[in-house]
Amino acid sequence: MKALIYNEIFGYVGGIERYIHKVGSLLKQHNWELYGLFERKVDKQSDFGDIYNEIIFHKKKDFSGLISQINDLNIDVVFIHKISNLELLSELNKNFFTVVTVHDHDFYCFRKHKYFPIKRINCPLPQSKFICSICSLMIKKDPDSMLGYSFINVQHKVDLLKEIKDADATIVLSNYMRMNLEKNQWDMDTVYRIFPIHEISNETQVINEHKEYKAQFLFVGQLIRGKGVDLLIDACRELSFDYHLKIVGTGNDYDFLENKINLYGLHNKIELVGWTDQVEKYYQSCDLVIVPSRWQEPFGLIGIEAFSRKKAVVAFNVGGISDWLKHEENGILVKKHTPEALAKALEYAHSHNERLPEWGLNGYNFVKDRFNGERFMHSIKKIMTLAKEKF
């Protein structure tokens, strides 16, 4: 098979780009020919482009030459990830068999976060031109603007959603995202839930560096409000037992979180590690990984990272997290999205710490069974039968 992979960004920026490279590498192993179509490059030194036979960058508004160039490649399918160019999306849908992966809320939420700005209450509504305009105040963050913000083109957002629904097939990673597409009136016969790839080794060594038992907690991720690290710190303030929490990552909330830790006098119990390329040692030395996200995680891949190290997870029941976190089977699913509920869950995990290795092993086996390349390729081949029927 020959596939064109489209994403706005070339290079490793976040989870979407890592997903693209993992999927592309797997397709390459199965003798697919891959071609890349990108808008801009942000990473020049990595192996991100190694899987492609040819890479095309575009900036033109006239896509007639570009479509002709792609046609000459005899492409069987175009895999679309992040796209905001309505005209290009329309041309790809008209001329090729297109498969869109909806990674997050960007296509149907003007604010992208899927929660209301006041009190950050999660939004259960489909896209609405009127309601979304009020919620977003019709502005968005824009690093290229002198003010840091620019106006949202509301009609463009509405038209983009309509066009993205016209793709021949849509992939989502969780049942929660599938539900969101149904609310936004997708043709559900063309929507497929496929767990992402996460190949793991048969053996994972578990290391505990602490000699005397002290609960060792770990958070890994961006330090932004949606990830709920402030809720985690508030919860830790309520704990009755001895613990140490390492917060690995960086982001706009770093100073805010540091001030909160100092204000509560928790600097001896909570450590802001910052960014590191040696995250493995933090996974291996912890007892429990905590995912305190307040925003509706489309999937929550960090939990799968924890399971692959045989670590149990405690997380709020938001978004797609319940697709992989099963209460008291591989961790604890916290129903109420409050620091008090999270603290109660951590107290329970501590008082039942003998069960944590069992939960971690259950999570490991779950990932090994459901997230392997063979299962993923079976699902892709099922989608590709549509291509053969159409062309």
Side-chain angles (χ1 to χ4, degrees):
M1 301 292 290
K2 289 186 177 183
L4 179 74
I5 296 177
Y6 179 88
N7 192 51
E8 289 183 335
I9 296 174
F10 174 95
Y12 296 112
V13 175
I16 293 174
E17 287 73 32
R18 290 192 293 273
Y19 173 92
I20 289 170
H21 191 264
K22 278 187 177 182
V23 170
S25 298
L26 181 65
L27 295 176
K28 195 78 172 177
Q29 291 171 22
H30 285 77
N31 299 316
W32 284 49
E33 286 186 25
L34 302 182
Y35 299 85
L37 178 60
F38 304 95
E39 186 174 324
R40 60 187 184 275
K41 181 185 292 189
V42 299
D43 191 345
K44 298 179 181 179
Q45 305 300 325
S46 74
D47 63 347
F48 188 82
D50 292 353
I51 58 176
Y52 300 105
N53 291 50
E54 183 179 342
I55 297 171
I56 304 168
F57 289 94
H58 78 90
K59 287 186 179 179
K60 298 179 180 179
K61 292 184 178 180
D62 179 11
F63 301 109
S64 57
L66 178 62
I67 297 302
S68 177
Q69 183 180 357
I70 298 171
N71 264 320
D72 290 342
L73 298 174
N74 295 316
I75 294 295
D76 296 298
V77 58
V78 178
F79 290 110
I80 299 172
H81 296 275
K82 299 296 289 186
I83 187 168
S84 58
N85 192 312
L86 179 60
E87 293 77 15
L88 176 58
L89 175 59
S90 177
E91 288 298 319
L92 291 174
N93 276 340
K94 287 177 185 175
N95 290 278
F96 305 99
F97 182 84
T98 51
V99 178
V100 172
T101 300
V102 180
H103 294 273
D104 50 32
H105 308 300
D106 287 11
F107 288 129
Y108 48 78
C109 175
F110 288 10
R111 295 187 64 246
K112 302 183 180 182
H113 307 304
K114 206 68 173 71
Y115 57 69
F116 300 113
I118 300 175
K119 294 187 178 181
R120 295 184 170 84
I121 299 171
N122 284 331
C123 171
L125 304 174
Q127 187 190 86
S128 162
K129 192 173 183 178
F130 176 69
I131 294 174
C132 293
S133 294
I134 295 174
C135 179
S136 66
L137 300 177
M138 296 179 65
I139 58 174
K140 61 181 178 180
K141 289 183 178 180
D142 185 353
D144 297 327
S145 169
M146 292 181 61
L147 298 176
Y149 290 88
S150 62
F151 288 106
I152 292 173
N153 184 333
V154 172
Q155 192 58 50
H156 178 271
K157 296 288 289 186
V158 172
D159 292 341
L160 186 69
L161 177 61
K162 183 179 179 181
E163 189 65 45
I164 210 74
K165 290 192 290 186
D166 281 343
D168 297 289
T170 303
I171 294 173
V172 293
L173 306 186
S174 67
N175 283 320
Y176 163 73
M177 291 299 289
R178 183 180 173 88
M179 176 192 70
N180 275 323
L181 300 198
E182 187 170 12
K183 285 182 179 180
N184 282 282
Q185 300 181 336
W186 245 265
D187 177 359
M188 299 310 293
D189 289 336
T190 67
V191 177
Y192 300 83
R193 189 202 70 171
I194 305 179
F195 279 144
I197 309 162
H198 194 86
E199 299 282 9
I200 55 179
S201 62
N202 291 325
E203 297 296 330
T204 296
Q205 185 180 9
V206 179
I207 303 169
N208 289 310
E209 295 177 344
H210 40 287
K211 295 179 181 179
E212 296 181 7
Y213 182 74
K214 178 191 290 187
Q216 302 287 330
F217 298 148
L218 177 66
F219 168 87
V220 178
Q222 286 183 285
L223 304 188
I224 55 177
R225 206 59 54 93
K227 292 297 182 180
V229 187
D230 57 317
L231 301 178
L232 173 56
I233 294 171
D234 288 341
C236 286
R237 190 186 186 192
E238 306 295 325
L239 298 180
S240 63
F241 57 88
D242 199 11
Y243 68 90
H244 190 79
L245 165 65
K246 291 184 174 69
I247 298 173
V248 178
T250 189
N252 295 334
D253 270 7
Y254 187 95
D255 292 340
F256 166 74
L257 297 172
E258 185 175 42
N259 290 336
K260 182 181 278 282
I261 291 168
N262 291 332
L263 178 65
Y264 292 166
L266 296 176
H267 53 277
N268 291 326
K269 292 178 176 290
I270 301 178
E271 178 184 353
L272 282 168
V273 175
W275 182 88
T276 178
D277 59 358
Q278 298 181 1
V279 69
E280 187 65 31
K281 68 178 183 180
Y282 295 103
Y283 274 116
Q284 297 296 357
S285 61
C286 77
D287 302 310
L288 194 65
V289 174
I290 305 172
V291 183
S293 295
R294 56 160 51 88
W295 90 303
Q296 300 178 87
E297 293 276 1
F299 185 81
L301 278 170
I302 199 67
I304 305 308
E305 295 282 351
F307 286 165
S308 70
R309 277 90 171 182
K310 298 183 180 177
K311 301 297 178 180
V313 176
V314 170
F316 286 128
N317 185 10
V318 293
I321 286 177
S322 62
D323 269 33
W324 50 264
L325 183 55
K326 307 303 177 185
H327 188 63
E328 292 198 57
E329 182 178 326
N330 50 28
I332 299 177
L333 199 59
V334 185
K335 293 182 180 179
K336 292 184 179 180
H337 311 151
T338 65
E340 294 76 17
L342 181 56
K344 186 177 180 180
L346 294 175
E347 291 276 2
Y348 183 85
H350 177 69
S351 62
H352 296 79
N353 64 77
E354 75 282 353
R355 297 185 65 185
L356 297 184
E358 174 194 347
W359 291 350
L361 181 60
N362 288 341
Y364 175 88
N365 289 331
F366 175 73
V367 173
K368 189 176 177 181
D369 177 56
R370 303 288 185 88
F371 292 74
N372 59 74
E374 182 180 351
R375 193 180 184 103
F376 186 90
M377 286 304 303
H378 175 77
S379 299
I380 290 294
K381 288 175 182 177
K382 183 178 179 181
I383 292 175
M384 289 311 299
T385 58
L386 292 172
K388 292 179 181 179
E389 292 172 1
K390 181 169 182 178
F391 296 103

